[in-house]
Amino acid sequence: MKGIQMKNDNYYFISWNVNGIRSINKKNGLKWIDDDVPSILALQEIKADEDQIPDTLFQHKYNNLIVSSSHKKGQSGVALYSDIEPSYQSPCYEVDTLKEGRINEIHFADIAFFNVYFPNGKRSQERLDYKMEFYEKFLNYIETLRKDGKSIIFCGDINTAHEEIDLSRPKENSKISGFMPVEREWIDKVIDAGYIDTFRYVHGDKSDRYSWWSMRTKARERNVGWRIDYFFVSSDLKEKIIDADILDQIMGSDHAPVTLKLRR
């Protein structure tokens, strides 16, 4: 097997917004995990409680499955599969105050790892306000952990494209939630605080690489997309970054998986 089992000096992480874990199971959309076994598989928007998660997603038996489900049935939800034994785990209600099933927090070694499905602000001004509140609480929370000596890794669907090269039609979307100045400024703030967008660290200003495409307009076929799925690491992990990428050949969701490889 690939991944942590054969490369004990490295961590390998995959993050994916699956847009419904039961739906993707019907498409056999996670079978490829058996060929690419990550140390941690972080899934967002599972739209299921733990007892509704199929046991036929893939054959690999992870040591740990950690789920945070929304109090609203069939919405949001995150799941984290790990072969790393966590010393601490939490749904992080300090940030996910509405208990929408948006965060898995685990600690291992000196690392605090977060699998996050950040709110979408397109529905209403109220949801945009909540998204920005969530952003600020999350950054404050991880900064507190960092001051306590933790290295930080966070991944997931951030629901914002950072720069114009991160979406195919920036001018047309400049007033749409997901690319509004106030949302993009939060990512600036994250980077200014010393967190690294690992895809940009590895690939520089490479354009036309996206992680989400609208299903309504067959945008994926035309690669009219947005890069809204990320792996960020705190700056103390910078020299440990081996690779970060988007698995845009993987189908089954309107999002593509994103990856990160780190030296231990």
Side-chain angles (χ1 to χ4, degrees), residues 27-201:
K27 305 170 189 174
N28 293 321
L30 274 162
K31 297 296 185 185
W32 58 276
I33 289 295
D34 287 318
D35 295 323
D36 211 22
V37 186
S39 320
I40 290 177
L41 172 65
L43 304 178
Q44 304 95 45
E45 203 173 0
I46 62 170
K47 301 179 182 179
D49 294 331
E50 184 169 356
D51 61 1
Q52 296 175 311
I53 295 177
D55 58 8
T56 53
L57 295 169
F58 39 76
Q59 291 184 344
H60 181 71
K61 302 301 181 184
Y62 278 96
N63 297 329
N64 302 279
L65 168 59
I66 301 165
V67 177
S68 180
S69 298
S70 175
H71 67 96
K72 297 180 180 179
K73 297 293 184 181
Q75 296 185 24
S76 303
V78 289
L80 187 149
Y81 291 85
S82 176
D83 274 334
I84 303 168
E85 193 66 36
S87 59
Y88 174 82
Q89 65 183 63
S90 169
C92 197
Y93 289 143
E94 295 92 334
V95 178
D96 185 14
T97 54
L98 297 184
K99 298 184 178 180
E100 293 182 340
R102 293 193 175 274
I103 304 182
N104 300 132
E105 174 189 1
I106 68 168
H107 297 184
F108 56 90
D110 293 323
I111 295 171
F113 184 103
F114 294 85
N115 170 31
V116 192
Y117 178 38
F118 289 85
N120 189 313
K122 289 182 179 178
R123 190 195 315 165
S124 64
Q125 182 62 46
E126 182 182 8
R127 287 304 290 182
L128 178 59
D129 291 343
Y130 179 66
K131 177 181 183 179
M132 299 312 302
E133 178 185 332
F134 189 103
Y135 273 171
E136 292 302 321
K137 285 183 178 179
F138 180 75
L139 181 56
N140 290 338
Y141 184 77
I142 60 176
E143 280 290 270
T144 299
L145 291 175
R146 203 168 165 202
K147 289 174 183 176
D148 288 340
K150 291 289 186 183
S151 301
I152 306 294
I153 301 171
F154 71 91
C155 67
D157 178 359
I158 291 184
N159 258 315
T160 295
H162 184 210
E163 302 287 0
E164 289 192 354
I165 58 172
D166 292 315
L167 72 166
S168 56
R169 295 177 177 172
K171 291 182 180 179
E172 294 90 329
N173 290 288
S174 61
K175 297 181 180 180
I176 302 296
S177 179
F179 197 59
M180 295 174 68
V182 66
E183 297 165 306
R184 298 169 61 195
E185 287 166 5
W186 180 79
I187 298 183
D188 289 336
K189 189 174 180 180
V190 168
I191 292 170
D192 289 344
Y195 296 90
I196 297 167
D197 176 350
T198 57
F199 179 85
R200 285 283 163 238
Y201 177 79

Side-chain angles (χ1 to χ4, degrees), residues 220-255:
R220 191 164 189 168
E221 297 174 12
R222 297 176 288 122
N223 199 31
V224 178
W226 301 50
R227 189 176 73 92
I228 59 175
D229 302 87
Y230 300 77
F231 267 100
F232 275 93
V233 301
S234 51
S235 56
D236 59 296
L237 296 175
K238 178 179 179 179
E239 299 305 318
K240 295 187 176 183
I241 298 171
I242 300 170
D243 194 19
D245 211 348
I246 301 170
L247 303 182
D248 42 26
Q249 77 280 9
I250 299 293
M251 309 300 284
S253 170
D254 52 347
H255 291 252

